[in-house]
Amino acid sequence: MPTRRTALALLAGSTTALALGTAPPALAHDRPFGRHGSPARRRDRATLYVDAHGRGDHTTVRAAVDAATGTGHTLVIAPGTYRETVDIPADRTGLTLIGASGDPRDTVIVYDNANGTPRPDGSGTYGTSGSATVTARPAGLTARDLTFANDWLRADHPDYTGTQAVAIKVTGDRSAFLGCRFLGHQDTLYADSASLTDFARQYYRDCYVEGDVDFVFGRASAVLDRCHFRTLTRTDLAAAPYGFVFAPSTAGADPHGFLVLRSRVTSTAPDGYFKLARPWVPSSDLTAHPMLTVRDSHLGAGIDADEPYGTMSAGFPWQDQRFAEYRNTGPGARVTVPANRPQLTRAEAREHTPAAWFGDWRP
């Protein structure tokens, strides 16, 4: 099986071949934007077209973002691999990003910075946030049918201690990702907020996320609905645990952290080699009170059923955080040690719903 970098490279040299998916010929050639129009048949003035082969308004996503000043723009992105970093400013409110083919495997935004990657200007390393392939700051952002990836590999840089490599960092309120894929290893999806007092509501539906260490993390009030989380095997470790799926860092004042429902967790690693979660209390916010609810989901055998939670920092044990489960199934959800699997009551579960998380927002 090819590595992720090999699979992505296949598309970088071809408009049709990609191990992660194959673009329909109509999109790859004469109709790169499919049913979404084209520069000659533009939907409206607020719609811009991106195509690496020059058939759109812009050849890079970054250039299209730069041009989409103001609010309410739509970027239709043709199939291809866009190897670039993209920082979407907060003033691009109401921005929509669409993968033109409807299959997220066809349209990939990818780069390979890590926490420990030196900045070109010599000012130090990128850090975790700076490693993000895409940084999404605006409120009201929607993304559909896209892949966000960071293909930095530990094996290529055995001397690095900062191995976090973010595919996307999202900080905007009312952000929605529908049918998207998030590929990475450590810290793949950073669901965050702009400040400790900004309770950013985010919705991820029908998405795929893969990684190994803390690969869904941050302090957003995030609902992950009908998503597939895939834990990856590691060749650099000889024993369990290989890592953790979730690492929330919910602000203490925020009543809502991560809510995972109607989802599934699968693994390429041996049975029991992954933990479900651990709390992240960052040094910048020692008042954080991480929150995670996983309900009505299937947890595969890759999750350690006896001890599904771990502790990241001394003094902040997972037992003191807001971790809970409800009506989960699968071998990784077995309650073998009740003290290690806090369960919601039926009455409590009625408060752990998207409606409770989102208030007046209906994504």
Tab-separated table of all heavy atoms in Angstrom, residues 96-143:
chain	number	residue	atom	x	y	z
A	96	THR	N	-17.401	30.163	1.544
A	96	THR	CA	-17.687	28.758	1.265
A	96	THR	C	-16.618	28.204	0.334
A	96	THR	O	-16.284	28.819	-0.678
A	96	THR	CB	-19.066	28.593	0.608
A	96	THR	OG1	-20.077	29.060	1.511
A	96	THR	CG2	-19.343	27.132	0.277
A	97	LEU	N	-16.080	27.028	0.682
A	97	LEU	CA	-15.103	26.322	-0.144
A	97	LEU	C	-15.740	25.019	-0.601
A	97	LEU	O	-16.235	24.238	0.227
A	97	LEU	CB	-13.830	26.013	0.646
A	97	LEU	CG	-13.152	27.162	1.403
A	97	LEU	CD1	-11.953	26.636	2.181
A	97	LEU	CD2	-12.720	28.250	0.433
A	98	ILE	N	-15.710	24.760	-1.909
A	98	ILE	CA	-16.365	23.577	-2.460
A	98	ILE	C	-15.382	22.799	-3.321
A	98	ILE	O	-14.761	23.355	-4.233
A	98	ILE	CB	-17.585	23.967	-3.321
A	98	ILE	CG1	-18.627	24.709	-2.477
A	98	ILE	CG2	-18.213	22.739	-3.958
A	98	ILE	CD1	-19.795	25.234	-3.299
A	99	GLY	N	-15.248	21.493	-3.054
A	99	GLY	CA	-14.527	20.611	-3.962
A	99	GLY	C	-15.438	20.274	-5.133
A	99	GLY	O	-16.532	19.719	-4.955
A	100	ALA	N	-15.027	20.598	-6.338
A	100	ALA	CA	-15.938	20.601	-7.484
A	100	ALA	C	-16.497	19.228	-7.832
A	100	ALA	O	-17.616	19.123	-8.332
A	100	ALA	CB	-15.231	21.203	-8.695
A	101	SER	N	-15.736	18.161	-7.588
A	101	SER	CA	-16.199	16.844	-8.034
A	101	SER	C	-17.238	16.233	-7.117
A	101	SER	O	-17.941	15.298	-7.501
A	101	SER	CB	-15.013	15.882	-8.156
A	101	SER	OG	-14.613	15.427	-6.866
A	102	GLY	N	-17.330	16.723	-5.887
A	102	GLY	CA	-18.220	16.111	-4.914
A	102	GLY	C	-17.582	14.978	-4.142
A	102	GLY	O	-18.174	14.451	-3.197
A	103	ASP	N	-16.370	14.578	-4.506
A	103	ASP	CA	-15.622	13.533	-3.806
A	103	ASP	C	-14.399	14.179	-3.165
A	103	ASP	O	-13.530	14.696	-3.882
A	103	ASP	CB	-15.190	12.444	-4.785
A	103	ASP	CG	-14.538	11.252	-4.095
A	103	ASP	OD1	-13.977	11.416	-2.994
A	103	ASP	OD2	-14.577	10.147	-4.678
A	104	PRO	N	-14.288	14.169	-1.839
A	104	PRO	CA	-13.176	14.881	-1.197
A	104	PRO	C	-11.805	14.318	-1.547
A	104	PRO	O	-10.799	15.024	-1.414
A	104	PRO	CB	-13.473	14.719	0.297
A	104	PRO	CG	-14.313	13.490	0.393
A	104	PRO	CD	-15.168	13.511	-0.856
A	105	ARG	N	-11.745	13.089	-2.006
A	105	ARG	CA	-10.450	12.503	-2.369
A	105	ARG	C	-9.854	13.144	-3.610
A	105	ARG	O	-8.656	13.011	-3.873
A	105	ARG	CB	-10.608	10.996	-2.576
A	105	ARG	CG	-10.980	10.237	-1.305
A	105	ARG	CD	-11.329	8.801	-1.587
A	105	ARG	NE	-12.502	8.694	-2.458
A	105	ARG	CZ	-13.005	7.531	-2.861
A	105	ARG	NH1	-12.432	6.397	-2.513
A	105	ARG	NH2	-14.076	7.511	-3.637
A	106	ASP	N	-10.682	13.837	-4.386
A	106	ASP	CA	-10.207	14.405	-5.650
A	106	ASP	C	-9.531	15.762	-5.484
A	106	ASP	O	-8.734	16.155	-6.333
A	106	ASP	CB	-11.378	14.566	-6.621
A	106	ASP	CG	-11.981	13.239	-7.043
A	106	ASP	OD1	-11.269	12.221	-6.978
A	106	ASP	OD2	-13.167	13.229	-7.422
A	107	THR	N	-9.872	16.487	-4.428
A	107	THR	CA	-9.372	17.856	-4.267
A	107	THR	C	-8.668	17.957	-2.922
A	107	THR	O	-9.314	17.903	-1.878
A	107	THR	CB	-10.528	18.873	-4.360
A	107	THR	OG1	-11.255	18.642	-5.569
A	107	THR	CG2	-9.994	20.294	-4.354
A	108	VAL	N	-7.341	18.102	-2.982
A	108	VAL	CA	-6.507	17.983	-1.787
A	108	VAL	C	-5.677	19.246	-1.598
A	108	VAL	O	-4.968	19.674	-2.515
A	108	VAL	CB	-5.563	16.766	-1.905
A	108	VAL	CG1	-4.699	16.626	-0.659
A	108	VAL	CG2	-6.354	15.482	-2.171
A	109	ILE	N	-5.766	19.830	-0.409
A	109	ILE	CA	-4.896	20.943	-0.023
A	109	ILE	C	-3.915	20.388	0.998
A	109	ILE	O	-4.335	19.910	2.066
A	109	ILE	CB	-5.697	22.110	0.576
A	109	ILE	CG1	-6.826	22.530	-0.368
A	109	ILE	CG2	-4.783	23.298	0.854
A	109	ILE	CD1	-7.786	23.539	0.241
A	110	VAL	N	-2.624	20.421	0.684
A	110	VAL	CA	-1.649	19.709	1.503
A	110	VAL	C	-0.343	20.484	1.599
A	110	VAL	O	0.066	21.182	0.657
A	110	VAL	CB	-1.392	18.285	0.927
A	110	VAL	CG1	-0.870	18.357	-0.504
A	110	VAL	CG2	-0.443	17.477	1.802
A	111	TYR	N	0.310	20.371	2.753
A	111	TYR	CA	1.676	20.869	2.912
A	111	TYR	C	2.346	20.022	3.987
A	111	TYR	O	1.733	19.099	4.547
A	111	TYR	CB	1.702	22.358	3.260
A	111	TYR	CG	2.949	23.046	2.751
A	111	TYR	CD1	3.125	23.274	1.393
A	111	TYR	CD2	3.962	23.427	3.628
A	111	TYR	CE1	4.278	23.872	0.904
A	111	TYR	CE2	5.114	24.028	3.150
A	111	TYR	CZ	5.269	24.243	1.794
A	111	TYR	OH	6.411	24.835	1.319
A	112	ASP	N	3.635	20.317	4.291
A	112	ASP	CA	4.367	19.432	5.188
A	112	ASP	C	5.220	20.179	6.215
A	112	ASP	O	6.361	19.813	6.483
A	112	ASP	CB	5.243	18.457	4.392
A	112	ASP	CG	6.278	19.158	3.518
A	112	ASP	OD1	6.195	20.394	3.369
A	112	ASP	OD2	7.167	18.469	2.986
A	113	ASN	N	4.649	21.217	6.826
A	113	ASN	CA	5.322	21.853	7.956
A	113	ASN	C	4.980	21.122	9.253
A	113	ASN	O	3.884	20.592	9.400
A	113	ASN	CB	4.890	23.319	8.092
A	113	ASN	CG	5.556	24.213	7.067
A	113	ASN	OD1	6.684	23.951	6.633
A	113	ASN	ND2	4.874	25.280	6.674
A	114	ALA	N	5.904	21.136	10.198
A	114	ALA	CA	5.678	20.585	11.533
A	114	ALA	C	6.015	21.639	12.570
A	114	ALA	O	6.568	22.704	12.250
A	114	ALA	CB	6.525	19.338	11.752
A	115	ASN	N	5.675	21.363	13.805
A	115	ASN	CA	6.024	22.250	14.913
A	115	ASN	C	7.507	22.615	14.866
A	115	ASN	O	7.886	23.776	15.000
A	115	ASN	CB	5.672	21.545	16.233
A	115	ASN	CG	6.012	22.343	17.467
A	115	ASN	OD1	7.022	23.035	17.516
A	115	ASN	ND2	5.188	22.244	18.494
A	116	GLY	N	8.358	21.601	14.644
A	116	GLY	CA	9.800	21.821	14.706
A	116	GLY	C	10.445	22.258	13.414
A	116	GLY	O	11.681	22.392	13.349
A	117	THR	N	9.666	22.513	12.364
A	117	THR	CA	10.234	22.952	11.089
A	117	THR	C	10.773	24.378	11.216
A	117	THR	O	10.044	25.283	11.634
A	117	THR	CB	9.167	22.915	9.986
A	117	THR	OG1	8.652	21.579	9.858
A	117	THR	CG2	9.750	23.375	8.653
A	118	PRO	N	12.031	24.629	10.858
A	118	PRO	CA	12.578	25.992	10.951
A	118	PRO	C	11.900	26.937	9.973
A	118	PRO	O	11.645	26.585	8.824
A	118	PRO	CB	14.066	25.804	10.593
A	118	PRO	CG	14.341	24.348	10.780
A	118	PRO	CD	13.060	23.646	10.453
A	119	ARG	N	11.601	28.125	10.424
A	119	ARG	CA	11.064	29.149	9.528
A	119	ARG	C	12.168	29.630	8.584
A	119	ARG	O	13.329	29.723	8.981
A	119	ARG	CB	10.522	30.329	10.328
A	119	ARG	CG	9.279	29.999	11.156
A	119	ARG	CD	8.809	31.232	11.919
A	119	ARG	NE	7.615	30.958	12.693
A	119	ARG	CZ	6.367	31.046	12.231
A	119	ARG	NH1	6.175	31.424	10.970
A	119	ARG	NH2	5.334	30.774	12.996
A	120	PRO	N	11.824	29.936	7.346
A	120	PRO	CA	12.842	30.353	6.373
A	120	PRO	C	13.600	31.608	6.781
A	120	PRO	O	14.761	31.791	6.382
A	120	PRO	CB	12.025	30.607	5.095
A	120	PRO	CG	10.794	29.796	5.261
A	120	PRO	CD	10.495	29.802	6.719
A	121	ASP	N	12.966	32.498	7.565
A	121	ASP	CA	13.623	33.745	7.944
A	121	ASP	C	14.532	33.603	9.156
A	121	ASP	O	15.103	34.586	9.627
A	121	ASP	CB	12.586	34.847	8.187
A	121	ASP	CG	11.647	34.522	9.350
A	121	ASP	OD1	11.838	33.484	10.019
A	121	ASP	OD2	10.704	35.315	9.580
A	122	GLY	N	14.664	32.374	9.681
A	122	GLY	CA	15.556	32.144	10.809
A	122	GLY	C	15.007	32.576	12.150
A	122	GLY	O	15.750	32.622	13.140
A	123	SER	N	13.709	32.878	12.231
A	123	SER	CA	13.116	33.385	13.476
A	123	SER	C	12.672	32.293	14.420
A	123	SER	O	11.954	32.552	15.383
A	123	SER	CB	11.908	34.280	13.136
A	123	SER	OG	10.913	33.539	12.452
A	124	GLY	N	13.071	31.058	14.175
A	124	GLY	CA	12.671	29.940	15.025
A	124	GLY	C	11.868	28.928	14.235
A	124	GLY	O	11.933	28.884	13.001
A	125	THR	N	11.121	28.101	14.935
A	125	THR	CA	10.322	27.079	14.279
A	125	THR	C	8.863	27.528	14.171
A	125	THR	O	8.450	28.502	14.800
A	125	THR	CB	10.407	25.756	15.045
A	125	THR	OG1	9.902	25.953	16.379
A	125	THR	CG2	11.850	25.271	15.126
A	126	TYR	N	8.089	26.785	13.407
A	126	TYR	CA	6.705	27.181	13.158
A	126	TYR	C	5.814	27.037	14.386
A	126	TYR	O	4.830	27.763	14.530
A	126	TYR	CB	6.124	26.356	12.011
A	126	TYR	CG	6.525	26.869	10.652
A	126	TYR	CD1	7.499	26.224	9.905
A	126	TYR	CD2	5.926	27.990	10.104
A	126	TYR	CE1	7.872	26.689	8.655
A	126	TYR	CE2	6.286	28.477	8.859
A	126	TYR	CZ	7.259	27.818	8.133
A	126	TYR	OH	7.627	28.289	6.905
A	127	GLY	N	6.117	26.088	15.279
A	127	GLY	CA	5.199	25.817	16.372
A	127	GLY	C	3.991	25.046	15.872
A	127	GLY	O	3.797	24.864	14.664
A	128	THR	N	3.159	24.594	16.805
A	128	THR	CA	2.021	23.770	16.413
A	128	THR	C	1.044	24.536	15.530
A	128	THR	O	0.674	24.092	14.443
A	128	THR	CB	1.301	23.222	17.653
A	128	THR	OG1	2.206	22.393	18.400
A	128	THR	CG2	0.092	22.398	17.262
A	129	SER	N	0.599	25.709	15.963
A	129	SER	CA	-0.370	26.476	15.162
A	129	SER	C	0.214	26.869	13.819
A	129	SER	O	-0.473	26.815	12.787
A	129	SER	CB	-0.819	27.718	15.922
A	129	SER	OG	-1.592	27.372	17.055
A	130	GLY	N	1.480	27.244	13.798
A	130	GLY	CA	2.109	27.669	12.552
A	130	GLY	C	2.329	26.552	11.562
A	130	GLY	O	2.567	26.802	10.381
A	131	SER	N	2.228	25.301	12.027
A	131	SER	CA	2.435	24.170	11.123
A	131	SER	C	1.227	23.880	10.240
A	131	SER	O	1.321	23.091	9.300
A	131	SER	CB	2.761	22.906	11.934
A	131	SER	OG	1.604	22.390	12.579
A	132	ALA	N	0.100	24.512	10.516
A	132	ALA	CA	-1.151	24.167	9.840
A	132	ALA	C	-1.077	24.401	8.331
A	132	ALA	O	-0.644	25.459	7.876
A	132	ALA	CB	-2.303	24.961	10.428
A	133	THR	N	-1.510	23.425	7.566
A	133	THR	CA	-1.635	23.602	6.125
A	133	THR	C	-2.661	24.689	5.823
A	133	THR	O	-2.431	25.568	4.988
A	133	THR	CB	-2.040	22.279	5.455
A	133	THR	OG1	-1.004	21.309	5.679
A	133	THR	CG2	-2.260	22.456	3.962
A	134	VAL	N	-3.806	24.628	6.501
A	134	VAL	CA	-4.850	25.638	6.353
A	134	VAL	C	-5.203	26.178	7.732
A	134	VAL	O	-5.374	25.415	8.680
A	134	VAL	CB	-6.116	25.057	5.680
A	134	VAL	CG1	-7.248	26.092	5.669
A	134	VAL	CG2	-5.802	24.594	4.263
A	135	THR	N	-5.294	27.495	7.827
A	135	THR	CA	-5.785	28.153	9.035
A	135	THR	C	-7.066	28.876	8.664
A	135	THR	O	-7.059	29.755	7.789
A	135	THR	CB	-4.755	29.141	9.599
A	135	THR	OG1	-3.535	28.443	9.871
A	135	THR	CG2	-5.264	29.780	10.885
A	136	ALA	N	-8.179	28.497	9.297
A	136	ALA	CA	-9.496	29.038	8.954
A	136	ALA	C	-9.988	29.901	10.111
A	136	ALA	O	-10.430	29.382	11.125
A	136	ALA	CB	-10.473	27.907	8.667
A	137	ARG	N	-9.946	31.232	9.919
A	137	ARG	CA	-10.278	32.163	10.994
A	137	ARG	C	-11.692	32.747	10.918
A	137	ARG	O	-12.216	33.184	11.940
A	137	ARG	CB	-9.268	33.329	10.988
A	137	ARG	CG	-7.811	32.891	11.045
A	137	ARG	CD	-6.889	34.098	10.975
A	137	ARG	NE	-5.502	33.709	10.792
A	137	ARG	CZ	-4.652	33.452	11.788
A	137	ARG	NH1	-5.085	33.547	13.044
A	137	ARG	NH2	-3.395	33.114	11.542
A	138	PRO	N	-12.347	32.815	9.762
A	138	PRO	CA	-13.597	33.580	9.686
A	138	PRO	C	-14.784	32.882	10.340
A	138	PRO	O	-14.847	31.642	10.395
A	138	PRO	CB	-13.852	33.739	8.186
A	138	PRO	CG	-12.851	32.945	7.484
A	138	PRO	CD	-11.960	32.272	8.460
A	139	ALA	N	-15.740	33.685	10.791
A	139	ALA	CA	-17.025	33.155	11.227
A	139	ALA	C	-17.848	32.786	9.997
A	139	ALA	O	-17.702	33.372	8.926
A	139	ALA	CB	-17.768	34.201	12.059
A	140	GLY	N	-18.689	31.782	10.167
A	140	GLY	CA	-19.598	31.411	9.091
A	140	GLY	C	-18.947	30.720	7.919
A	140	GLY	O	-19.512	30.703	6.821
A	141	LEU	N	-17.784	30.106	8.107
A	141	LEU	CA	-17.115	29.405	7.011
A	141	LEU	C	-17.740	28.027	6.806
A	141	LEU	O	-18.045	27.318	7.775
A	141	LEU	CB	-15.627	29.263	7.302
A	141	LEU	CG	-14.791	28.553	6.220
A	141	LEU	CD1	-13.457	29.255	6.046
A	141	LEU	CD2	-14.565	27.076	6.564
A	142	THR	N	-17.914	27.643	5.541
A	142	THR	CA	-18.401	26.305	5.190
A	142	THR	C	-17.447	25.678	4.189
A	142	THR	O	-17.024	26.336	3.232
A	142	THR	CB	-19.810	26.374	4.580
A	142	THR	OG1	-20.715	26.961	5.520
A	142	THR	CG2	-20.310	24.983	4.219
A	143	ALA	N	-17.098	24.411	4.415
A	143	ALA	CA	-16.266	23.671	3.457
A	143	ALA	C	-16.956	22.357	3.136
A	143	ALA	O	-17.468	21.673	4.030
A	143	ALA	CB	-14.880	23.418	4.033
